[in-house]
Amino acid sequence: MSTNWASATAIALLLSLSTSAAHAEEVTAWHLFISDHADPKVTVIDAVNGGKLDTFQIKGPASLHRSESGRTVFAVQGSAGVVTGIASGISFEDHGEHGDIDVEAPKLAGVEIAGEKPSHFVEHDGDFAVFFDGEGVARIISEKAVLEGKSDFREVKTDAPQHGVAVAYGSHVLLSEPNREKPDELPVGIRVADKAGAQVGGIHACPDLHGEASSGNILAFACATGLLVVTQGDGTPAIRHLPYADSLPDGKTTTLIGGRGLQYFLGNYGADKVVLIDPTLESDAFRLIGLPTRRVHFAVDPVRAKFAYVFTEDGQLHQLDVVKGEIANSLKLTDPYSMDGHWSDPRPRVAVAGDRIVVTDPLQGVLHLVDATSFEKTGDIAVKGKPFNIVSVGGSGQTHEGE
């Protein structure tokens, strides 16, 4: 009897794929990372079942940043002069027709970046740049190095200490330019440096520079006069100025976040307004949206691209339709959190974890959970202390038995 080896191989492959598919399981996992307003710790909560996964002791109260991949979270501890890397425990692998998810326990990555007054933390294409205000120095490290537990960072210096920012942009670095006449004030522009640290071209004016974000392939810096919009040019970054529209009232954006799924930016503009910005337009790029009271915090929805969320001092969470440019729904969640007082007083922060919107309530020691589809409150999760800054990491994917 003859054997058709090609047919036999094909049958074996189909059986293998069939068996693999049979053992595949769809898994949803979300980890919430919450820093405390007063204590040097980061608490990790399983957003699916509400249980606590771990508490990491760090060196100071922290602001939190997650990477685009979700594999790492960083605790920036300004008062303690250090940035601590955390492995989130969740990672994904794209297989085209489906994605695999790997879920492990979160852990400290074993990487700390020390310096004087760490402030702005910016990721671009898997490289993280931390700016140390007290030194005027940016320290840059890759996510790969962090996950391997290696403190392999490089330094790029500016001319003076400043409340600055840096972005690792391919083979270049974008650096804030200090105000030489008044060093204690905000930077006045952006310069481009090559791998050797040499300046490329002139200074791109950006008075009162504060706030930066990415949306798709566009990076933006907020200035007193508008935005600096950065795209990939011919060998070097291309930077253009997008001025505020004449129709806008006096004001400026100082906090900027980038849309996911839709390309736009959302920024503050005065105490009780936000502004939607289309960076691809030359005119009519800004849409101003009034709020019922002063803004506390805002976040975009990475799943439902047409929505963002704004929390205001009257204790309400607002669902913002960024396509229509209007508030679609509002929900009372907390007691009032007045914006009078110190800028760093404990106030709520917002994150999105799949189908849930999560709002910290630091004075009550809870996380409020809101269903993103119905926009109704669904429950609370108690967190000891004063839960403050929050980021979420997670999603859905397949796991395979035996892997």
Side-chain angles (χ1 to χ4, degrees), residues 254-276:
T254 58
T255 300
L256 203 62
I257 55 177
R260 304 282 295 276
L262 294 174
Q263 195 165 58
Y264 70 93
F265 293 97
L266 177 63
N268 63 328
Y269 199 91
D272 59 354
K273 300 176 184 65
V274 292
V275 62
L276 289 166

Side-chain angles (χ1 to χ4, degrees), residues 47 193 248 305:
L248 292 176

Side-chain angles (χ1 to χ4, degrees), residues 360-399:
T360 64
D361 192 344
L363 297 185
Q364 298 301 318
V366 298
L367 311 178
H368 299 296
L369 307 178
V370 176
D371 183 274
T373 302
S374 65
F375 207 66
E376 296 177 351
K377 183 177 176 181
T378 58
D380 293 326
I381 299 175
V383 179
K384 289 183 179 179
K386 294 182 177 180
F388 185 39
N389 280 285
I390 181 171
V391 296
S392 66
V393 174
S396 300
Q398 291 185 359
T399 61

Side-chain angles (χ1 to χ4, degrees), residues 293-294 296 310-318 330-338 348 359 368:
T293 56
R294 290 177 292 186
V296 175
V310 185
F311 189 88
T312 50
E313 65 177 347
D314 56 359
Q316 290 195 90
L317 179 69
H318 307 278
S330 298
L331 176 66
K332 176 75 170 177
L333 281 182
T334 75
D335 291 335
Y337 275 87
S338 173
V359 179
H368 299 296

Side-chain angles (χ1 to χ4, degrees), residues 211-344:
E212 77 294 318
S214 292
S215 181
N217 63 347
I218 295 179
L219 168 70
F221 297 94
C223 320
T225 56
L227 265 59
L228 286 186
V229 178
V230 186
T231 54
Q232 186 60 56
D234 186 13
T236 60
I239 303 177
R240 67 180 178 91
H241 183 247
L242 178 63
Y244 291 129
D246 292 338
S247 59
L248 292 176
D250 289 341
K252 63 179 180 178
T253 292
T254 58
T255 300
L256 203 62
I257 55 177
R260 304 282 295 276
L262 294 174
Q263 195 165 58
Y264 70 93
F265 293 97
L266 177 63
N268 63 328
Y269 199 91
D272 59 354
K273 300 176 184 65
V274 292
V275 62
L276 289 166
I277 307 162
D278 185 339
T280 65
L281 298 178
E282 294 293 340
S283 60
D284 299 323
F286 299 86
R287 285 189 291 170
L288 199 61
I289 300 169
L291 303 171
T293 56
R294 290 177 292 186
R295 163 198 48 81
V296 175
H297 190 244
F298 52 93
V300 302
D301 193 324
V303 180
R304 290 151 290 273
K306 67 177 288 187
F307 292 123
Y309 307 102
V310 185
F311 189 88
T312 50
E313 65 177 347
D314 56 359
Q316 290 195 90
L317 179 69
H318 307 278
Q319 183 190 58
L320 178 64
D321 187 322
V322 301
V323 176
K324 295 180 179 179
E326 63 186 29
I327 293 174
N329 291 290
S330 298
L331 176 66
K332 176 75 170 177
L333 281 182
T334 75
D335 291 335
Y337 275 87
S338 173
M339 288 302 290
D340 291 332
H342 198 275
W343 66 268
S344 65

